[in-house]
Amino acid sequence: MTLKTGLVMEGGAMRGMFTAGVLDIMIERGLTFDGAVGVSAGAVFGCNFKSGQNGRSFRYNLKYAGDSRYCSLRSLLKTGDLYGVDFCYREIPEKLDPFDVRAYQENPMPFYVVCTDVDTGRAVYRRLDRGDRSDMDWFRASASMPLASRMVEIDGGRYLDGGIADSIPLRFMERAGYERNVVILTQPASYVKKPSPMQPAIAAAYVRHPALVRSMATRHVRYNSDTAYVKQQEEAGRVFVFRPAQSLGIPHTESDRGELLRVYELGRTAAEARWEELMTFLGRGEADTSASTSR
């Protein structure tokens, strides 16, 4: 009996370049999964895994991360979004570094993103099959950090960063029937999340959304519980985890190309070093290595 395999991708803003490095090795070696879920950066970078676009996350981040249209205080003050919505979710994927919508649609692998419902403070799991502008709104919602982004309104609902409610949705994948899961984390095993020092500002900014404020106040508790659960499942042999050996040491809005490249290469190196272990865990022979390795 073949077990359903799942891929779980944590967020972490530019720490997600580690995830991008791991994913590109998987793309190059032809690895597939039965389903995937991404949170925040894990969603907006991870969608390139479903479309099979090797190197795309790495490429556009290195090219545009220092561009004020991509991420800047100016954008935050002018629009309410630190990351420019039109540039990041329209101009880049539609013109400057096109997202392969057809390839995304033709890949049968279900891809889910996690968002936080502003009115309930709870996680919303949305399956995205089209990769079009409508789906891009959900990707954006999953990555919309509180205080640094406007709420994203979709079909009457209001959403922010999925990491608020569920940073590591391993349990979600298990409930959905995925029995062998690969989890990509962007913090080392020793990391323990602490209460946010921004909680007073969050409480003031979202005073009309008490459920969201409560969810933010307890985020660290859920996160630490999630990482403990991941370790438990890993030790039981039910989960395979990629994580950096130590803190990646970059801020959420890192724009230095050298630092982004460093973190990306750490992800690639981690995937290469443990490839045989991964194949054994998934119960597969060596995956197809004939795919393009250009980037």
Side-chain angles (χ1 to χ4, degrees):
M1 178 179 176
T2 303
L3 299 177
K4 287 180 68 176
T5 59
L7 177 63
V8 180
M9 295 165 282
E10 182 186 9
M14 286 306 177
R15 292 199 312 272
M17 292 302 290
F18 177 86
T19 301
V22 174
L23 294 179
D24 280 351
I25 293 295
M26 292 179 174
I27 293 172
E28 290 165 14
R29 300 191 180 190
L31 183 60
T32 60
F33 292 89
D34 296 313
V37 61
V39 183
S40 194
V44 296
F45 294 170
C47 63
N48 296 295
F49 180 76
K50 180 172 166 65
S51 64
Q53 289 180 273
N54 179 32
R56 182 172 179 268
S57 296
F58 165 79
R59 185 172 59 244
Y60 75 71
N61 273 287
L62 258 68
K63 187 170 184 178
Y64 298 114
D67 192 314
S68 62
R69 297 171 297 173
Y70 185 84
C71 176
S72 65
L73 181 59
R74 176 184 177 185
S75 176
L76 178 62
L77 295 175
K78 185 178 180 180
T79 68
D81 290 293
L82 184 66
Y83 285 87
V85 172
D86 288 338
F87 190 72
C88 293
Y89 296 97
R90 298 289 184 263
E91 194 164 351
I92 290 178
E94 294 178 5
K95 298 177 182 179
L96 300 177
D97 199 328
F99 180 63
D100 194 336
V101 175
R102 176 177 290 184
Y104 183 93
Q105 293 174 350
E106 290 178 350
N107 185 339
M109 180 188 75
F111 191 96
Y112 301 88
V113 300
V114 186
C115 301
T116 299
D117 187 309
V118 169
D119 297 310
T120 67
R122 296 178 180 175
V124 172
Y125 306 92
R126 179 80 177 191
R127 176 171 170 171
L128 302 179
D129 294 323
R130 299 189 301 270
D132 57 8
R133 278 198 170 194
S134 176
D135 280 3
M136 281 294 164
D137 287 339
W138 284 100
F139 285 121
R140 175 164 67 95
S142 182
S144 290
M145 298 180 290
L147 300 180
S149 310
R150 290 173 294 173
M151 300 175 191
V152 180
E153 298 187 13
I154 308 173
D155 298 334
R158 294 176 291 185
Y159 306 96
L160 281 173
D161 195 319
I164 298 169
D166 191 355
S167 295
I168 309 170
L170 172 58
R171 290 181 176 91
F172 163 76
M173 290 296 278
E174 291 176 339
R175 291 194 300 270
Y178 296 94
E179 301 156 288
R180 278 285 182 270
N181 290 288
V182 175
V183 179
I184 307 177
L185 302 179
T186 59
Q187 295 283 15
S190 60
Y191 178 75
V192 176
K193 195 171 189 64
K194 299 178 181 179
S196 172
M198 297 301 294
Q199 193 60 31
I202 289 167
Y206 300 107
V207 65
R208 296 184 179 181
H209 307 283
L212 178 69
V213 173
R214 289 193 295 270
S215 188
M216 284 292 295
T218 56
R219 181 182 182 183
H220 64 290
V221 175
R222 287 190 302 280
Y223 185 89
N224 294 332
S225 173
D226 286 345
T227 55
Y229 182 70
V230 168
K231 289 180 182 178
Q232 173 189 321
Q233 295 295 80
E234 182 182 24
E235 291 170 358
R238 290 187 285 268
V239 167
F240 190 95
V241 184
F242 286 109
R243 57 168 72 85
Q246 57 190 21
S247 173
L248 294 172
I250 59 171
H252 281 65
T253 57
E254 180 64 72
S255 61
D256 182 270
R257 292 181 180 181
E259 283 296 281
L260 295 176
L261 175 59
R262 176 182 66 82
V263 173
Y264 172 77
E265 292 292 353
L266 285 174
R268 289 183 64 89
T269 299
E272 290 173 331
R274 301 187 65 202
W275 190 257
E276 291 186 7
E277 280 183 75
L278 176 62
M279 292 300 98
T280 299
F281 171 78
L282 294 173
R284 303 179 187 180
E286 184 69 16
D288 180 14
T289 57
S290 63
S292 170
T293 58
S294 62
R295 41 176 176 120

